[in-house]
């Protein structure tokens, strides 16, 4: 065995991370200070606020917290684009209330169809295929579509300050998880590359696949059985089911994240941290709270945050940049 | 920063793990050789069989693979003991076909009640309480009950050769997961201490909890909604759902594990490893295959293993000891 390269890497790694300034895309405002103070308190063995490494589990919402959710969530945009792609093989879709509305770009009619319409959209675009086929379809969609307003690939639109926050937390021994209303199989296609989060730490809405033997192996076929909608009060349920322990920090952006933040804040063992991203930047991204463009209403959350001492990120004031300018140049 | 202790630890750690003989409780038979050969092939960057560290996910069944499943699975034994403990508060249970049979030790009647009876047993002993209360009940049961035949605590009856195998695989960069028919909340109470496996890498049968706010925080209450029975064809489904990728090795002991082994063996990217533990040791543990004591029938598996070149562990011949003699001295 050769130790020299290992030791050199260790020394350089130790030195560089000791000196690199974390969170460079955050302005030096209260939000950044609150994050850094909490991390310092949680990792200092001499303080009563210390959290042992094996308990450092932190959870992030995805849509609106790590990447945009407007004008449609990206997964809904994928579904819409898939309906368009597949429509020539299904002439009958034109006359369907929901699918026809998609094809006519009548999104108010789609929205009016409610959960039933959403389930139908998911059924035709995200079930009845193998898990591998679905991954390929998402990858192909990512390779061939760009966000209409920003002109960027969807998987290059992660919020740069939040990606730095994920890195900063991991550098301090925290295990970063996504707990999102987005589909689990959809998010897992992008999460490792965009956020450095491995598939098993990505939790979302799901339905069950079906296993069978085939002539040359096995297959898992996506179905709509056992649909679990991972939003609001379901988030603590999925955290318990998948992660098996209570988080010490939670990051969200909408009232659908409040149960997750409350569950985290009620951790009986540690001083926890809660944060809400408030979309206040119509120029660089979007500005909304009570009237969101697609999902992500934030009303109760702003009140609760004030009562509970949770950190609210004002995107416009607290972030130097929204996207990584190397990946996605925001309009001026 | 002080580097000397880190470097010393690195050197000593490297040296000790390089020289310690792995799998000391395994006899030097074909099973041990097959394991070691596969691990060497999977971790040698110069070979075509190399598996990169980020793909080294391996899955283990629990009942009958990592600890005994006879005469009842330990979780069923817990349910039986809980019915007895709670019976004084429920005089009506005496007249119930299933619960009355439990109280009369009439296990053939319990078995005859089938899945419906099992669900009833789980409902009265493992639902309608908070997740914390359930953990406490399991811990208390472990502290106050011993296996009738061996006189050992249940959580000291992990198979020593399999515990060494878990360590050996982790030492070689593999992520070890449990994929079991046992209840996910039940197993997570013991898995970290017994096997060194963190809660989020323990997957089992589950039902959904319910979240609510309370006067002084939040609670998750166990229910019987959305029951997912993690056996047979459900195992690849839960592997995809929780782990999000296909394993490179799978370890089981019954026909209920075959789908998991087949799913693993059909991994298109890597040379995988599959192993079945065959219970052949009536003196030190149990001997069964076609007529198991409680669960775990192994019939089709023995045929498939021969056809597919899977490793079959003959407990009597291949293992020097079944339990760790420091924890549980097996009878002679």
């Amino acid at each position: 065995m050769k130790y020299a390269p290992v030791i050199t890497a260790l020394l350089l790694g130790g030195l560089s991370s000791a000196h690199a300034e974390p969170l460079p895309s955050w302005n030096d405002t209260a939000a950044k200070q609150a994050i850094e103070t909490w991390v310092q308190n949680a990792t200092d063995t001499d303080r009563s606020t210390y959290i042992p490494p094996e308990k450092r589990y932190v959870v992030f919402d995805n849509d609106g917290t790590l990447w945009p959710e407007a004008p449609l969530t990206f997964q809904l945009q994928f579904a819409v684009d898939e309906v368009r792609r597949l429509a020539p093989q299904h002439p009958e879709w034109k006359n369907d209330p929901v699918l026809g509305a998609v094809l006519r770009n009548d999104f108010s009619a789609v929205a009016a169809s409610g959960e039933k319409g959403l389930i139908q959209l998911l059924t035709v675009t995200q079930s009845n295929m193998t898990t591998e086929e679905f991954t390929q379809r998402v990858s192909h969609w990512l390779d061939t579509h760009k966000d209409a307003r920003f002109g960027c690939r969807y998987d290059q639109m992660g919020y740069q300050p939040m990606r730095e926050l994920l890195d900063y937390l991991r550098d301090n021994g925290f295990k970063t998880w996504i707990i999102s209303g987005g589909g689990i199989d959809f998010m897992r296609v992008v999460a490792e590359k965009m956020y450095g989060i491995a598939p098993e730490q990505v939790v979302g809405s799901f339905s069950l696949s079906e296993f069978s033997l085939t002539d040359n192996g096995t297959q898992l076929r996506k179905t709509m059985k056992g649909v679990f909608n991972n939003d609001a009060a379901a988030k603590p349920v999925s955290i318990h089911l998948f992660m098996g322990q209570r988080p010490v920090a939670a990051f969200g952006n909408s009232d659908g994240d409040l149960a997750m933040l409350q569950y985290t804040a009620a951790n009986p063992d540690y001083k926890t941290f809660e944060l809400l991203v408030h979309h206040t930047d119509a120029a660089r991204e979007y500005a909304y709270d009570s009237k969101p463009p697609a999902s992500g209403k934030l009303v109760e959350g702003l009140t609760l945050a004030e009562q509970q001492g949770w950190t609210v990120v004002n995107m416009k004031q607290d972030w130097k940049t929204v996207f990584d300018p190397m990946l996605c140049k925001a309009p001026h």
Side-chain angles (χ1 to χ4, degrees), chain A residues 69-279:
Chain A
E69 57 185 346
L72 302 178
T73 63
F74 291 174
Q75 187 174 3
L76 195 53
Q77 185 64 56
F78 165 74
V80 164
D81 291 335
E82 283 290 278
V83 168
R84 288 176 184 145
R85 183 179 70 83
L86 297 166
Q89 302 153 45
H90 300 274
E92 75 281 9
W93 284 1
K94 268 184 223 151
N95 304 317
D96 179 274
V98 176
L99 304 177
V102 169
L103 293 171
R104 291 189 305 276
N105 289 326
D106 180 359
F107 291 110
S108 58
V110 177
S113 70
E115 189 173 326
K116 206 181 149 209
L118 181 66
I119 293 282
Q120 191 185 350
L121 262 181
L122 294 176
T123 302
V124 302
T125 60
Q126 306 183 37
S127 76
N128 198 27
M129 67 194 76
T130 68
T131 53
E132 286 89 354
E133 280 164 5
F134 179 70
T135 299
Q136 283 162 11
R137 288 187 188 195
V138 176
S139 296
H140 182 257
W141 173 76
L142 289 166
D143 286 342
T144 52
H145 289 78
K146 288 184 171 175
D147 178 86
R149 176 175 166 206
F150 294 97
C152 309
R153 282 178 63 106
Y154 292 105
D155 57 0
Q156 298 187 335
M157 294 179 68
Y159 298 141
Q160 179 63 8
M162 297 304 282
R163 294 171 71 216
E164 292 168 3
L165 177 54
L166 289 166
D167 285 339
Y168 174 56
L169 288 167
R170 285 191 293 256
D171 285 347
N172 281 282
F174 292 89
K175 289 164 199 81
T176 53
W177 286 64
I178 289 176
I179 308 291
S180 169
I184 196 165
D185 287 336
F186 181 82
M187 292 186 293
R188 283 174 173 173
V189 179
V190 298
E192 187 129 36
K193 190 175 131 195
M194 290 187 69
Y195 310 127
I197 300 182
E200 70 269 25
Q201 295 184 0
V202 177
V203 177
S205 295
F206 63 82
S207 50
L208 300 173
S209 57
E210 252 170 21
F211 175 79
S212 61
L213 299 176
T214 61
D215 287 345
N216 54 357
T218 66
Q219 74 172 15
L220 280 175
R221 206 161 181 81
K222 283 172 72 69
T223 80
M224 291 300 283
K225 290 182 191 163
V227 170
F228 182 89
N229 180 12
N230 194 37
D231 193 31
K235 289 198 173 193
V237 174
S238 73
I239 290 171
H240 175 74
L241 179 60
F242 283 78
M243 203 165 87
Q245 47 209 309
R246 206 187 283 237
V248 295
F251 304 81
N253 78 298
S254 82
D255 288 352
D257 298 317
L258 294 185
M260 175 168 84
L261 268 66
Q262 289 167 317
Y263 179 59
T264 301
N267 188 320
D269 300 319
Y270 304 106
K271 186 169 161 47
T272 60
F273 185 78
E274 292 76 28
L275 181 148
L276 287 168
V277 174
H278 189 192
H279 292 259

Side-chain angles (χ1 to χ4, degrees), chain A residues 24-97:
Chain A
S25 298
W26 291 70
N27 284 317
D28 197 19
T29 50
K32 180 184 180 181
Q33 288 158 15
I35 293 167
E36 292 187 339
T37 299
W38 179 77
V39 168
Q40 284 156 13
N41 284 334
T43 54
D44 184 340
T45 50
D46 289 339
R47 299 190 203 182
S48 64
T49 49
Y50 176 71
I51 302 173
E54 69 271 18
K55 298 293 180 189
R56 291 185 198 160
Y57 287 77
V58 298
V59 291
F60 287 77
D61 172 56
N62 186 35
D63 294 318
T65 299
L66 297 179
W67 73 358
E69 57 185 346
L72 302 178
T73 63
F74 291 174
Q75 187 174 3
L76 195 53
Q77 185 64 56
F78 165 74
V80 164
D81 291 335
E82 283 290 278
V83 168
R84 288 176 184 145
R85 183 179 70 83
L86 297 166
Q89 302 153 45
H90 300 274
E92 75 281 9
W93 284 1
K94 268 184 223 151
N95 304 317
D96 179 274

